[in-house]
Amino acid sequence: MAVKKITKRWLFNNLGVIFVILVALEIGFSLGIRAFYYNNVRTAMMAQASVVNAQLTAYSEDSSTLFAAQVRSMVENFEQRDRMELMAVDLDGNVIFTSSGFQVSGQVYMPDFRQAIQSTDGYGYMTEVVNGEKIMAITMVSPVSESSQFAAMRFAVSLDAIDHQIILCILVLALVGIAIIFFVMFSSSYFINSIVNPVGKVSETARKIAQGDFNARLYKKNDDEIGDLCDTINYMAEELSANEKMKNDFISSVSHELRTPLTAIKGWAETLTDMHDEVDSELLGKGMRVINSETERLAQMVEELLDFSRLQSGRMQLNKSRMDIIAELSDAVMMFEERAKHEQKRLIYEEPDLIATFYGDRNRLRQVFVNIIDNALKYSDVGDTVTVRASATDAHICIAISDTGCGIKESDLPRIKEKFFKANSTRRGSGIGLAVADEIISMHGGSLEITSQEGVGTRVTILLPSE
């Protein structure tokens, strides 16, 4: 619908403006060329009138009989008679003789004659249709006032040929205008095909993507703004598809992570319930340890989900206080010593002989340390080593946690801190721990950097500003 509105608006505005401009030009050109031709004709007639006026002045020096003969000869032998007609008119407005040689009978419609008689300059002008023919006439009062026989000389020109020429010019201009309109329609059609229609295709594809069809793609025809828009839409579809896959993987992973401890808790609860009065203390102790461990695991997962929710909504808050960050790191390492022994992995940590004071949230920072050490053990195999080191300078407090585990693919490394992303789906975890950890470190003004090589190991470096 939007594309149709753009098309109609484009055609209406474009053609409408051009049509109005062409009509205005047509009218202006018509009036201008008419005025040009008519003024040229009038100028030519006035020039002839000046010549005739000079001749009459010269003839007036002769006798009246000779004067009349000279005037008659001048009119009958008028040099421009093939272009205009010259008439001798008496005081009563009767045409005595003309350059055409025909005798005029009766009164002739000559408003220019009356105007000339009444005007101070002795000239009259007329452009009217007479007997179906459009003529232009100029009447000049005779300079010989004492002669009543020749009161005025009248020049008349037919404008039909000139009007035909004007109409021809107007038609040519109209054809040019029509050609311009057709050209504009053609260019508009090209515009619609090259821009508006692709925009409609973009809109259609965007709707498909919005409805969940992330496989919809646009074909890029030209390397221009529309092509860039196609690339952007395609990139958006790829990102949405990847995010949708990550979301589904996250849901599947979380569902699996929740189901495993719940199954263990339920199984041991049923086992312990079936014991009734025959209590096996060893079995009871083992079952309670499993239930406690799996409950702690569930609580940790729920806390990660809550942290992620707070992170997404911007509600994550820090309760800062003065603390010894090395002591918090040491406590976090101690939590995994027994686990490392149980999983037959080496956990190396030499507590530095220093006190690194830091103003931060001790619980959140311990959460970061726990998450990273847990990941290091999780992605390590039997016999691998996890090393924790800490150091401090005047500028930074540096905490490095490295392992000799499976490592991360180079292609996955740029996305390892994205939400829902899991580089290795064979290991347990929700895929949001690193995203939360990175945000917590950023909120403390620090940075969390990850370097890894597949099959060699991973190193996580935390840099926090020194006080």
Side-chain angles (χ1 to χ4, degrees):
M1 184 62 69
V3 175
K4 292 181 180 178
K5 289 182 179 179
I6 291 175
T7 303
K8 290 180 180 179
R9 190 163 62 247
W10 169 263
L11 290 175
F12 178 78
N13 292 344
N14 212 27
L15 291 179
V17 170
I18 292 175
F19 180 76
V20 170
I21 292 174
L22 289 177
V23 169
L25 289 175
E26 184 86 11
I27 294 173
F29 179 81
S30 301
L31 295 176
I33 198 170
R34 181 181 181 276
F36 174 77
Y37 276 109
Y38 281 21
N39 285 337
N40 283 347
V41 172
R42 184 172 181 176
T43 300
M45 294 174 70
M46 290 297 294
Q48 290 299 319
S50 298
V51 172
V52 171
N53 185 57
Q55 290 178 338
L56 289 175
T57 302
Y59 295 159
S60 64
E61 298 177 356
D62 298 328
S63 62
S64 59
T65 304
L66 182 60
F67 175 76
Q70 289 175 328
V71 170
R72 186 181 188 92
S73 174
M74 179 187 66
V75 172
E76 291 177 350
N77 298 303
F78 183 51
E79 293 181 356
Q80 301 293 330
R81 60 180 175 272
D82 57 333
R83 298 174 58 189
M84 65 182 71
E85 185 177 8
L86 176 60
M87 308 174 188
V89 185
D90 63 17
L91 281 176
D92 296 327
N94 298 315
V95 177
I96 303 173
F97 43 79
T98 70
S99 60
S100 63
F102 295 101
Q103 186 67 32
V104 179
S105 60
Q107 287 286 332
V108 178
Y109 178 68
M110 295 185 298
D112 51 302
F113 174 75
R114 300 302 174 191
Q115 181 183 354
I117 295 297
Q118 297 172 2
S119 67
T120 57
D121 60 356
Y123 283 91
Y125 173 77
M126 177 197 81
T127 301
E128 294 188 29
V129 177
V130 180
N131 297 326
E133 182 181 15
K134 191 173 185 180
I135 64 171
M136 178 185 291
I138 291 179
T139 298
M140 176 193 69
V141 176
S142 173
V144 187
S145 57
E146 61 272 9
S147 176
S148 62
Q149 184 178 7
F150 305 109
M153 305 299 289
R154 187 173 190 254
F155 300 85
V157 173
S158 174
L159 296 177
D160 286 349
I162 295 175
D163 285 346
H164 290 158
Q165 187 68 27
I166 293 173
I167 291 172
L168 180 62
C169 292
I170 294 173
L171 287 177
V172 170
L173 182 62
L175 290 175
V176 171
I178 293 172
I180 292 174
I181 290 177
F182 274 108
F183 175 77
V184 171
M185 292 178 65
F186 174 79
S187 62
S188 297
S189 175
Y190 175 79
F191 171 81
I192 291 170
N193 291 330
S194 62
I195 298 180
V196 177
N197 288 343
V199 169
K201 189 65 177 177
V202 168
S203 178
E204 179 184 349
T205 304
R207 279 195 295 269
K208 290 181 180 180
I209 295 172
Q211 293 169 359
D213 183 7
F214 300 124
N215 293 321
R217 293 292 185 274
L218 288 166
Y219 174 69
K220 180 179 178 180
K221 294 183 178 179
N222 300 307
D223 189 15
D224 53 13
E225 288 80 358
I226 297 295
D228 292 342
L229 180 60
C230 292
D231 289 338
T232 303
I233 294 294
N234 290 337
Y235 175 73
M236 179 187 71
E238 292 172 1
E239 289 298 304
L240 288 174
S241 178
N243 288 335
E244 181 71 11
K245 183 179 182 302
M246 282 195 298
K247 183 189 74 173
N248 293 334
D249 291 343
F250 169 75
I251 293 173
S252 175
S253 176
V254 168
S255 299
H256 176 74
E257 292 292 327
L258 291 173
R259 184 167 56 246
T260 301
L262 286 175
T263 301
I265 292 171
K266 181 181 179 182
W268 276 104
E270 291 176 349
T271 300
L272 297 178
T273 301
D274 292 340
M275 290 173 59
H276 300 296
D277 296 334
E278 298 177 3
V279 178
D280 186 337
S281 58
E282 183 180 352
L283 186 63
L284 177 61
K286 182 178 180 181
M288 292 306 296
R289 284 194 299 272
V290 171
I291 291 174
N292 184 64
S293 173
E294 296 300 324
T295 303
E296 184 67 26
R297 182 176 167 188
L298 280 174
Q300 182 180 352
M301 290 182 59
V302 171
E303 188 62 31
E304 280 187 353
L305 293 173
L306 290 174
D307 284 342
F308 179 73
S309 176
R310 297 187 192 103
L311 178 64
Q312 289 293 92
S313 60
R315 292 184 292 107
M316 181 176 284
Q317 301 294 330
L318 298 179
N319 298 317
K320 292 185 176 182
S321 62
R322 187 68 58 185
M323 55 178 285
D324 181 4
I325 198 167
I326 300 299
E328 296 302 325
L329 176 63
S330 300
D331 291 344
V333 173
M334 287 178 57
M335 295 172 57
F336 291 94
E337 288 179 347
E338 290 299 323
R339 172 182 164 185
K341 292 178 182 179
H342 178 72
E343 295 179 356
Q344 299 179 29
K345 301 171 185 176
R346 295 179 63 199
L347 177 58
I348 300 175
Y349 172 64
E350 295 181 2
E351 185 173 353
D353 187 15
L354 60 89
I355 298 176
T357 58
F358 185 74
Y359 186 69
D361 189 327
R362 66 176 67 245
N363 292 327
R364 291 298 182 188
L365 288 173
R366 181 183 292 187
Q367 176 185 346
V368 172
F369 302 150
V370 168
N371 180 277
I372 296 174
I373 297 172
D374 177 66
N375 282 346
L377 291 171
K378 186 192 310 179
Y379 289 96
S380 298
D381 297 319
V382 175
D384 285 335
T385 301
V386 175
T387 304
V388 181
R389 289 189 175 90
S391 61
T393 64
D394 293 338
H396 294 98
I397 300 171
C398 178
I399 298 169
I401 302 169
S402 58
D403 63 71
T404 57
C406 60
I408 304 170
K409 293 180 181 179
E410 185 178 356
S411 58
D412 293 336
L413 200 56
R415 307 185 62 186
I416 196 65
K417 292 188 286 186
E418 292 182 8
K419 59 184 179 180
F420 306 141
F421 184 79
K422 288 184 66 176
N424 192 335
S425 59
T426 62
R427 309 295 173 113
R428 63 179 178 83
S430 61
I432 59 176
L434 275 179
V436 174
D438 183 60
E439 181 65 21
I440 292 173
I441 296 299
S442 296
M443 292 174 70
H444 282 87
S447 64
L448 188 150
E449 301 296 333
I450 301 174
T451 57
S452 183
Q453 185 175 351
E454 190 175 11
V456 176
T458 302
R459 177 187 176 89
V460 178
T461 303
I462 299 172
L463 289 177
L464 292 170
S466 295
E467 291 295 321

